Amino acid sequence: MIPRKRLVVLISGFGSNLQAILDASRAETLLADVAAVFSDRSAAFGLTRARDVGIPAIHRPFSPFEGLPEARRAYDAALADRVADYDPDLIVLAGWMRVLSCAFLDRFPGRVINLHPALPGCFPGAHAIERAFEAAQAGLIDCTGVTVHFAVEALDAGPVVASRRVPILPSDTLSSLKARVQVAERATLVPAIASLLG
Ligand code: GRF
């Protein structure tokens, strides 16, 4: 029997991509288990999703580090310590809204991937779908997409694991575009994880 791999998922919000991973794990289309879910936000619904299926759901707020020297690095190093306790084969940033520094990334070389709701190199940072929609309305683009990439210290950048195009239709509203990008995210993320885990 092939041993199942171990994932740690970092989230900040609703956790729909986490749910796609949990569903694939349960359906055994992904031969991996989520060992723990971490969030920087206590209200992140993804924590509830994890707790409901008996997975450790860990809130790690940044606030105790605020004002400390090297606060960001100290937070990232402490987070890495806790994540390492779960011995992950792969760490998935699925809607995690903090850029991780080398204090975290260097602990898990080649084992941290991020999901970005735009094509590689496009619209880094928050509100990528909104900004793509505005660019389409201004006639600048007619296509956006999603990217799964290895995480580096730069925002939403790093070697691409998988990406998928999502056309922006003339009839699109922001909410119809968001819905299609979110479907594309789930369709891209789970196979990308599976391919990396071999
Ligand atoms: C996703 O669009 C992800 O790409 C972005 O934040 C969103 C998180 O959605 N970085 P969810 O928490 O997985 O529902």
Side-chain angles (χ1 to χ4, degrees):
M1 195 163 117
I2 304 168
R4 289 171 70 95
K5 301 288 173 93
R6 297 170 64 78
L7 303 173
V8 166
V9 183
L10 273 57
I11 57 150
S12 295
F14 191 55
S16 57
N17 290 286
L18 165 67
Q19 190 64 54
I21 297 168
L22 293 172
D23 292 346
S25 168
R26 193 165 137 187
E28 305 209 332
T29 49
L30 183 64
L31 295 178
D33 295 308
V34 177
V37 172
F38 286 75
S39 177
D40 57 331
R41 296 181 185 167
S42 62
F45 183 63
L47 289 175
T48 304
R49 294 179 193 269
R51 263 184 225 115
D52 283 352
V53 291
I55 292 171
I58 300 153
H59 174 216
R60 298 295 288 173
F62 181 71
S63 49
F65 293 82
E66 261 162 29
L68 294 181
E70 301 273 334
R72 185 174 156 224
R73 293 182 71 81
Y75 174 85
D76 289 356
L79 180 66
D81 285 342
R82 290 299 312 277
V83 168
D85 289 342
Y86 292 92
D87 195 19
D89 294 293
L90 194 66
I91 297 159
V92 182
L93 313 181
W96 170 258
M97 298 305 284
R98 300 184 56 82
V99 180
L100 293 169
S101 66
C102 285
F104 184 95
L105 298 173
D106 287 354
R107 294 281 298 278
F108 310 101
R111 284 193 286 148
V112 186
I113 59 170
N114 180 50
L115 173 65
H116 176 53
L119 288 170
C122 298
F123 306 110
H127 309 300
I129 305 173
E130 287 84 344
R131 286 185 285 145
F133 183 71
E134 280 163 18
Q137 294 222 304
L140 301 174
I141 59 171
D142 61 5
C143 186
T144 183
V146 307
T147 305
V148 176
H149 61 89
F150 287 103
V152 295
E153 270 200 314
L155 180 61
D156 292 323
V160 174
V161 178
S163 75
R164 184 181 293 252
R165 291 164 67 87
V166 177
I168 304 176
L169 309 176
S171 58
D172 262 331
T173 60
L174 177 58
S175 81
S176 68
L177 179 62
K178 262 189 187 166
R180 282 208 319 290
V181 170
Q182 285 166 352
V183 168
E185 284 190 317
R186 287 163 221 152
T188 308
L189 180 61
V190 171
I193 294 169
S195 76
L196 288 171
L197 294 176

